[in-house]
Amino acid sequence: MVEKNEQDYVYYNGKRLRKGFTTGTTATAASVAALKILLSQEPMEEITVNAANGQPAEFHLESVEYDDQKATVGIKKDGGDDQDATHGMIVYSTINLRDDNEITLDGGKGIGRVTQKGLANPPGMAAINPVPRKMIKQSVRDILGEDRGADIIISAPEGVDIAKLTYNPKLGIVGGVSILGTSGIVTPMSEESWKHSISIEMNIHRERGDEDIILTPGNYGEDFTKNVLKLPLDKQVQMSNFVGYVLHEVQRLGFKRCLMVGDLGKFIKVAGGIFSTHSKDADARAEIMVANLALMGAPQSLINDVYNSLTTISMVDYIDKAGYQKVYQQIVDRIKYRSEKLLAHRQPQVEIDAVIFSGQKFLAATQDLAVLKESWK
């Protein structure tokens, strides 16, 4: 039994909230258990694996079926005290050994199938995101070694109905849920406490004397800042979807300069004056993009294609093929304008610059990129 300690909990309003595990960690555990049972031909009741962040994760096996050819294990998804739509759903992994050393991974019943371009996986592929896909295959490889292979099928029959409660249908993911997770851990936290924690982190920067701050929505922005812009992360803070709140905090805390680095899918909303970028609050990405294209005199066919795109990655594909890349500069300049206008009625004023990218590809910046990078090093 994995002993619970403080890293397994968060606190909110004096309440101790238990962390949980993502569908990705759950599917990894089911796959490891199924393979061990198949190889040993002996049942088991518990399995412990490491989540993507290295934290041990222990699961009870809800169901076990096996013979000498294949094994299927079902494990209940435990979201801790953050009980989303998939909490309590049984995730199954079925494993067959192969005659060669290849490891394949696909989705079965209740796992969504990608139908549109622009998501983490290409059309036709099961909606098993890159981190859990890597974790599942690597965990199986670690047990099998390099000389043997296996076919892995992840399924969740309840996912057919549960998916209707998620954002998957709007993303063109049909037939079920997604297998998700970057850290492998679900951390329950309200928006207010999340905002508070961001403010605390920003205040630490000010207390140590920083007058400049780099803001990113999340890991993608942080990765782009580090790997593409080659900027140090010692002045970087993740602001999640709370753009307006964090910009006001930048001003309140007395930062003089702010560099916002984010994916077009998030930041295009700011260009339209939307400062809470979560999809539950607003999603006018297509409308904002077509408005800017129309101002450039773009043809109706391009406007129609962009307007009907489900993702900004698809929009970028249409725009680039049509040769209207200058729209990105128009959008990033609008992001700067909207952000500075948000803070204009209070003091002190903050100098704001922005960089937008798509799929880790640079699109535009409010300054010459070389000048901007040099001034922020």
Side-chain angles (χ1 to χ4, degrees):
M1 178 73 68
V2 176
E3 183 180 351
K4 295 286 184 182
N5 53 49
E6 285 306 303
Q7 74 173 355
D8 299 311
Y9 300 89
V10 294
Y11 290 85
Y12 173 60
N13 278 352
K15 293 181 180 180
R16 196 174 191 231
L17 302 178
R18 185 173 60 86
K19 296 180 182 180
F21 301 107
T22 62
T23 49
T25 303
T26 309
T28 300
S31 299
V32 169
L35 181 57
K36 288 186 173 182
I37 290 170
L38 179 58
L39 294 175
S40 69
Q41 288 294 293
E42 295 181 358
M44 58 196 310
E45 295 182 354
E46 308 285 339
I47 188 69
T48 300
V49 297
N50 286 333
N53 69 352
Q55 181 176 333
E58 183 181 36
F59 296 88
H60 172 73
L61 276 56
E62 299 291 329
S63 67
V64 174
E65 296 181 10
Y66 67 97
D67 56 31
D68 59 354
Q69 299 296 316
K70 69 177 182 179
T72 299
V73 165
I75 292 178
K76 184 179 294 186
K77 193 262 191 178
D78 177 10
D81 289 325
D82 185 40
Q83 298 185 8
D84 65 6
T86 62
H87 177 73
M89 179 183 73
I90 306 295
V91 177
Y92 296 88
S93 178
T94 299
I95 293 189
N96 293 270
L97 295 178
R98 294 172 59 95
D99 294 330
D100 55 26
N101 67 345
E102 184 180 1
I103 293 177
T104 69
L105 175 60
D106 203 356
K109 185 176 181 180
I111 304 301
R113 188 72 51 175
V114 179
T115 64
Q116 302 288 338
K117 291 182 179 180
L119 297 174
N121 295 317
M125 184 177 284
I128 304 173
N129 273 18
V131 171
R133 182 176 292 273
K134 179 181 178 181
M135 289 297 298
I136 294 167
K137 295 181 76 171
Q138 186 60 53
S139 296
V140 169
R141 175 61 73 198
D142 289 344
I143 297 171
L144 285 178
E146 297 298 326
D147 297 329
R148 291 189 291 179
D151 294 321
I152 311 164
I153 301 293
I154 305 298
S155 59
E158 298 164 277
V160 175
D161 292 325
I162 291 173
K164 299 171 186 176
L165 305 175
T166 72
Y167 204 63
N168 275 10
K170 294 182 179 179
L171 295 175
I173 298 174
V174 301
V177 298
S178 300
I179 301 298
L180 303 170
T182 52
S183 69
I185 305 297
V186 175
T187 302
M189 188 182 292
S190 78
E191 287 191 0
E192 288 307 311
S193 60
W194 196 343
K195 290 176 181 178
H196 182 61
S197 67
I198 296 171
S199 293
I200 291 173
E201 183 178 358
M202 294 170 66
N203 190 57
I204 291 171
H205 283 272
R206 279 301 286 133
E207 288 295 318
R208 76 182 191 188
D210 290 348
E211 294 184 336
D212 308 328
I213 192 162
I214 300 174
L215 301 176
T216 64
N219 292 333
Y220 292 143
E222 183 175 306
D223 290 345
F224 187 87
T225 300
K226 177 183 177 181
N227 301 326
V228 180
L229 298 182
K230 306 295 185 183
L231 296 179
L233 296 179
D234 59 336
K235 294 184 179 181
Q236 182 264 347
V237 170
Q238 290 192 14
M239 61 179 168
S240 186
N241 295 296
F242 313 123
V243 180
Y245 169 83
V246 173
L247 284 175
H248 280 303
E249 288 294 272
V250 167
Q251 187 176 49
R252 180 183 70 83
L253 292 169
F255 288 96
K256 293 182 178 179
R257 288 199 309 163
C258 172
L259 175 62
M260 300 166 59
V261 181
D263 185 275
L264 178 65
K266 287 288 184 186
F267 275 11
I268 192 173
K269 297 179 183 182
V270 180
I274 298 169
F275 289 98
S276 180
T277 58
H278 197 288
S279 57
K280 69 178 176 58
D281 295 324
D283 185 5
R285 294 170 298 173
E287 289 82 356
I288 296 167
M289 183 64 85
V290 299
N292 280 274
L293 287 168
L295 288 171
M296 296 178 64
Q300 189 66 46
S301 58
L302 174 59
I303 288 174
N304 289 343
D305 287 337
V306 169
Y307 186 73
N308 291 315
S309 293
L310 292 176
T311 67
T312 49
I313 293 179
S314 297
M315 295 180 199
V316 168
D317 189 41
Y318 285 120
I319 290 165
D320 288 355
K321 288 179 179 177
Y324 275 81
Q325 292 93 333
K326 288 183 179 180
V327 74
Y328 308 134
Q329 189 64 52
Q330 192 165 293
I331 288 170
V332 80
D333 289 341
R334 197 68 179 172
I335 292 168
K336 174 182 172 69
Y337 167 77
R338 286 284 194 177
S339 299
E340 291 183 341
K341 184 178 180 181
L342 180 72
L343 307 182
H345 63 291
R346 293 181 181 175
Q347 294 295 328
Q349 291 302 295
V350 182
E351 179 186 343
I352 297 176
D353 279 296
V355 175
I356 54 174
F357 62 88
S358 180
Q360 297 293 298
K361 180 182 77 171
F362 171 76
L363 296 180
T366 49
Q367 289 190 53
D368 176 81
L369 189 58
V371 173
L372 184 144
K373 288 168 65 175
E374 184 62 32
S375 69
W376 281 88
K377 280 185 178 178

